[in-house]
Amino acid sequence: MTTALLILIALVTLCSAATAMLLRNLIHSVLLLIGSWIGVSVFYLFAGAEFVAFAQVLVYVGAVSMVVLFAVLLTRRSRADMAVSPDTQSRAVSAVLAAGAVLAVLLYAVLLTPLPSGISQGPSANVRQIGTELMGTHAAALLVIGMILTVATLGGVVIASTDGASKKEGPK
Amino acid sequence: MNAAQDTGETLLERAPQALRDLLTSHLPEPWRWFANSLIAIVAILAVFGLLFAALTLAERKILGRVQNRPGPNRTGPFGLLQPIADGIKMLSKEDIVPRDADHLLHFLAPVTLLASSILAFAVIPYGRHLIPVELDAAVLYFFCVGATTELAVFMAGWSSHNKYSLLAAMRALAQLISYELPLLLSWLPVVMISGTLSTTGIVAAQSAWRWGWMPTWHVFTPWGLAGFVIFMVAALAESNRSPFDLPEAESELIAGHLTEYSGCKYVFFFMAEYFGMTALSGMAVTLFLGGWHAPLPSLEFIPSYVWFGAKLITLLMGFIWIRATFPRLRIDQLTRFAWKFLVPLALVNLGTTAFWSLSFGWTGPLLAARCTVAVILVVVPFVLLGRRLSSGLTPRTYSYAP
Amino acid sequence: MIHHPLELCLVFSSLLFCIGLAGALSRSNSILVLLGIELMLNAANLNFVAFWRYGPSPAPATGIVFVAFSVAVAAAEAAVGLALVISIYRRQRSIRLQEAVRLKG
């Protein structure tokens, strides 16, 4: 029962991710990728990691997807531009070959590693435990993450802002 | 289910569970869980569906009275059947989809929006034991479901293949993203003080009585009041209500991202707006207004769900009152208000809350000092930021042609 | 044959990783490349949760804490990456990676 559920989640996630990478319409790709992100968060829920599942939806569906969609709309010249021009055949083939090779190595490693028999009943971390661990053991890492996020946000704003660029470029 | 174990609960208090158990107690275990869930879903849809109908009528009536006109009064006694007439009219309208529209996304947008706004009802405690789903991270769940609305707005705007739809959707997204920040920051203090993300736990943290009569709701503390006000302002903007109703501003834009929607799909958007407003008010009641607790110890004989409903309806009436009273903001004023006023205020409020929880054990004269410092920490940034916000705005001088 | 949930999770995450890799390598649109990298990050997070849940000696919440950090870093990466994409578009009027060859804008 649980295995079937897991396979279903995996299939939905993988199919939407694969389709997203194949489609030519950028917006459709992004929306399908959002579908696969939601699939991953459903997997987290399935595994009992409630907190990360909701954090994943909040960050990916609420924030990252919006940034991506805005970027897509800001970087096109016409509506017809939305369909990406097809990539060269050789490039696609070599990409699939490279990914296939990586997949083969990964699957070889995964399937041949002896895993402990019997399903260990994993821990159930409630939000309080996660909070204590974040603030206690990993407090330094939390501060560093905060710094990274601040710097990244400021950097993003500086890079994307038009104030400095328009002076240098002059009229287009 | 174990409601009977608690002492001092009246028959009315236990009535919803008793009714449910009467229906499902004879079922075997997996089916019983299924039936219980089904009953919860049906109950939520029925109650909030009816509330939606009543709310549209109340809004039109109240707006009418405020604007010195009678409002709808032809359908049924005092116009009470107006929502039914509206429903029949909207549902029997033709569903028009633009020829060049992205049909699948055009259909998915209202469905996503409505589904996400209904999902938000799952974690609100409506009464002493009346919570559909008990989650450890319930508040996080509520806001992560709310984040999906942005996606639906984008899908609606983009799939319509209409430049007005797309432009308005981008404006709506700018507004939603801007106000999501103060919304999320304003409830963090509650989590800091309650020490839990579960809605049941947050309500339980507000159950005590100070001096035997004053409820310890979060709104009665300096940081709680500030947080509540920020939350409600952000909630107004998040649910596209006046004075932040720029996404669809009937009198200015065409209809925003709803331009190309008609019939049933339009009703979906409309319902989602009201459901979202109701869910956010319900969350505000849970986070700041003591959830289902009675305001006085002597009033506790009235069932808890009645108190929840009363608080919810009060907040919703406040929404309607604000809509009737305030003029609409301009888009630049709107974003400036969010980024330069609400976000800094919410951040300062986090600091105030930290001080409040650090000074938890203070008594006697120190208690007075604690309250004074907290009030100063709330009021001074409010005044300073407010001055800066309105610094460029002098009273308008009119010059007339000679 | 797969008979352990952990094995299934690992196969799932390897497949997701390789889909992301194939996408990032084959597409020439820089936004899609970035999204492929996001998919690969997601696959890594999936492994964290899988090992936390089904792994041999689970620590109380370490796997989850790592995923939380990783999600935060992914958000930062997306913000900077897309800002770069917009900046490149402004200078080159294109977001095809093959056309972004000038080092000096």
Side-chain angles (χ1 to χ4, degrees):
Chain A
M1 179 60 199
T2 49
T3 316
L5 194 63
L6 181 56
I7 291 177
L8 185 72
I9 295 171
L11 272 183
V12 170
T13 311
L14 292 173
C15 285
S16 71
T19 324
M21 285 297 155
L22 290 174
L23 280 183
R24 285 191 52 206
N25 188 320
L26 253 182
I27 296 276
H28 287 178
S29 286
V30 175
L31 290 175
L32 272 169
L33 268 176
I34 292 168
S36 79
W37 288 335
I38 292 177
V40 170
S41 83
V42 171
F43 168 78
Y44 293 162
L45 266 187
F46 166 83
E50 204 175 275
F51 179 79
V52 240
F54 298 147
Q56 161 104 0
V57 175
L58 200 62
V59 171
Y60 275 97
V61 179
V64 174
S65 69
M66 283 303 123
V67 181
V68 174
L69 288 172
F70 266 88
V72 169
L73 289 187
L74 283 174
T75 55
R76 59 174 195 154
R77 276 161 291 186
S78 66
R79 197 176 173 95
D81 202 30
M82 199 53 79
V84 189
S85 52
D87 309 301
T88 53
Q89 202 81 38
S90 60
R91 192 183 162 91
V93 169
S94 52
V96 168
L97 279 181
V102 173
L103 181 66
V105 171
L106 282 176
L107 286 186
Y108 176 78
V110 166
L111 295 178
L112 287 194
T113 310
L115 289 164
S117 58
I119 302 156
S120 60
Q121 200 52 45
S124 63
N126 58 22
V127 176
R128 179 172 282 276
Q129 269 174 323
I130 298 170
T132 336
E133 196 149 324
L134 265 180
M135 287 294 177
T137 329
H138 303 286
L142 191 69
L143 286 178
V144 173
I145 291 282
M147 290 292 291
I148 290 177
L149 276 178
T150 319
V151 171
T153 318
L154 289 178
V157 171
V158 169
I159 293 171
S161 77
T162 47
D163 293 353
S166 58
K167 260 178 253 159
K168 268 180 263 166
E169 274 179 47
K172 286 209 177 77
Chain B
M1 265 168 268
N2 46 14
Q5 291 165 4
D6 294 39
T7 50
E9 282 190 17
T10 58
L11 186 66
L12 269 177
E13 180 75 62
R14 287 198 308 269
Q17 288 86 28
L19 204 64
R20 191 193 66 185
D21 288 347
L22 192 74
L23 284 171
T24 61
S25 56
H26 58 275
L27 291 169
E29 193 31 62
W31 289 105
R32 190 172 163 192
W33 174 83
F34 188 71
N36 281 347
S37 313
L38 203 66
I39 287 175
I41 293 170
V42 170
I44 286 180
L45 285 182
V47 169
F48 288 101
L50 281 176
L51 187 66
F52 161 67
L55 205 58
T56 52
L57 179 69
E59 174 149 21
R60 294 179 64 178
K61 278 288 201 189
I62 294 174
L63 277 183
R65 299 314 301 178
V66 172
Q67 293 161 358
N68 207 6
R69 56 188 172 84
N73 61 354
R74 292 306 162 98
T75 348
F78 309 107
L80 281 177
L81 298 179
Q82 187 65 37
I84 299 172
D86 281 347
I88 293 172
K89 184 193 95 177
M90 295 304 268
L91 291 180
S92 58
K93 270 188 175 177
E94 188 188 353
D95 175 32
I96 302 166
V97 181
R99 193 187 59 210
D100 286 339
D102 196 322
H103 288 255
L104 183 64
L105 288 185
H106 194 264
F107 166 75
L108 275 181
V111 176
T112 318
L113 192 63
L114 188 63
S116 68
S117 62
I118 290 175
L119 278 175
F121 286 117
V123 290
I124 299 175
Y126 301 102
R128 199 175 287 274
H129 301 286
L130 285 177
I131 177 163
V133 184
E134 183 77 65
L135 275 182
D136 201 24
V139 185
L140 203 63
Y141 164 85
F142 183 88
F143 290 99
C144 99
V145 165
T148 345
T149 52
E150 290 160 16
L151 205 60
V153 169
F154 175 83
M155 278 155 70
W158 188 76
S159 66
S160 296
H161 204 287
N162 176 335
K163 56 178 172 289
Y164 299 110
S165 288
L166 187 58
L167 283 175
M170 294 335 265
R171 270 166 54 139
L173 282 180
Q175 168 178 343
L176 289 178
I177 292 169
S178 305
Y179 280 87
E180 189 150 309
L181 215 57
L183 190 76
L184 292 176
L185 285 172
S186 65
W187 59 259
L188 280 183
V190 175
V191 177
M192 276 170 76
I193 293 289
S194 317
T196 174
L197 271 174
S198 118
T199 39
T200 323
I202 288 172
V203 173
Q206 306 177 66
S207 59
W209 304 99
R210 199 176 290 130
W211 310 309
W213 58 271
M214 190 180 158
T216 51
W217 300 354
H218 288 142
V219 76
F220 293 130
T221 52
W223 58 268
L225 184 64
F228 176 65
V229 172
I230 296 170
F231 188 93
M232 287 319 282
V233 172
L236 270 175
E238 283 287 307
S239 47
N240 299 342
R241 296 285 302 181
S242 180
F244 305 109
D245 61 345
L246 277 159
E248 47 191 303
E250 303 96 333
S251 47
E252 294 172 23
L253 311 170
I254 308 173
H257 54 281
L258 309 179
T259 309
E260 298 291 358
Y261 281 95
S262 59
C264 192
K265 290 178 191 161
Y266 181 79
V267 176
F268 275 19
F269 276 107
F270 197 60
M271 273 171 92
E273 180 186 327
Y274 278 83
F275 280 163
M277 185 168 91
T278 316
L280 277 168
S281 304
M283 212 14 133
V285 169
T286 305
L287 290 172
F288 296 102
L289 298 181
W292 39 262
H293 285 295
L296 283 175
S298 54
L299 289 174
E300 272 182 329
F301 66 92
I302 298 175
S304 53
Y305 46 87
V306 175
W307 282 119
F308 182 87
K311 291 175 193 174
L312 183 68
I313 288 171
T314 314
L315 284 187
L316 290 174
M317 291 302 130
F319 272 100
I320 296 175
W321 188 16
I322 288 173
R323 174 169 177 185
T325 317
F326 284 93
R328 188 177 294 136
L329 265 70
R330 223 169 46 212
I331 184 80
D332 59 322
Q333 294 168 338
L334 180 113
T335 40
R336 194 167 64 157
F337 184 65
W339 290 103
K340 291 195 172 173
F341 188 70
L342 287 182
V343 171
L345 216 57
L347 284 173
V348 171
N349 202 30
L350 268 180
T352 316
T353 318
F355 166 74
W356 188 263
S357 78
L358 278 179
S359 60
F360 186 70
W362 292 9
T363 45
L366 277 176
L367 186 67
R370 177 198 192 198
C371 292
T372 322
V373 171
V375 169
I376 288 172
L377 277 176
V378 169
V379 171
V380 170
F382 175 80
V383 172
L384 288 180
L385 284 169
R387 274 204 187 147
R388 276 198 58 190
L389 192 71
S390 56
S391 60
L393 308 172
T394 47
R396 188 175 286 182
T397 48
Y398 292 95
S399 53
Y400 299 99
Chain C
M1 195 54 224
I2 294 165
H3 36 66
H4 197 283
L6 179 57
E7 216 159 19
L8 202 59
C9 293
L10 292 181
V11 171
F12 175 23
S13 80
S14 344
L15 280 169
L16 195 64
F17 184 88
C18 290
I19 289 175
L21 183 65
L25 288 178
S26 68
R27 307 305 297 257
S28 55
N29 184 302
S30 46
I31 293 178
L32 274 174
V33 172
L34 211 66
L35 288 175
I37 294 170
E38 287 285 340
L39 265 188
M40 286 149 77
L41 262 172
N42 260 303
N45 290 352
L46 235 151
N47 269 3
F48 276 126
V49 170
F51 276 110
W52 165 79
R53 177 69 176 74
Y54 302 111
S57 60
T62 312
I64 289 188
V65 169
F66 263 92
V67 177
F69 286 153
S70 170
V71 166
V73 172
E77 179 229 311
V80 175
L82 291 164
L84 282 173
V85 168
I86 289 173
S87 175
I88 290 174
Y89 173 77
R90 237 182 239 131
R91 279 150 208 270
Q92 322 249 349
R93 310 308 289 168
S94 165
I95 51 170
R96 280 174 67 84
L97 284 176
Q98 288 90 336
E99 290 165 32
V101 287
R102 279 186 296 162
L103 281 178
K104 204 172 168 201

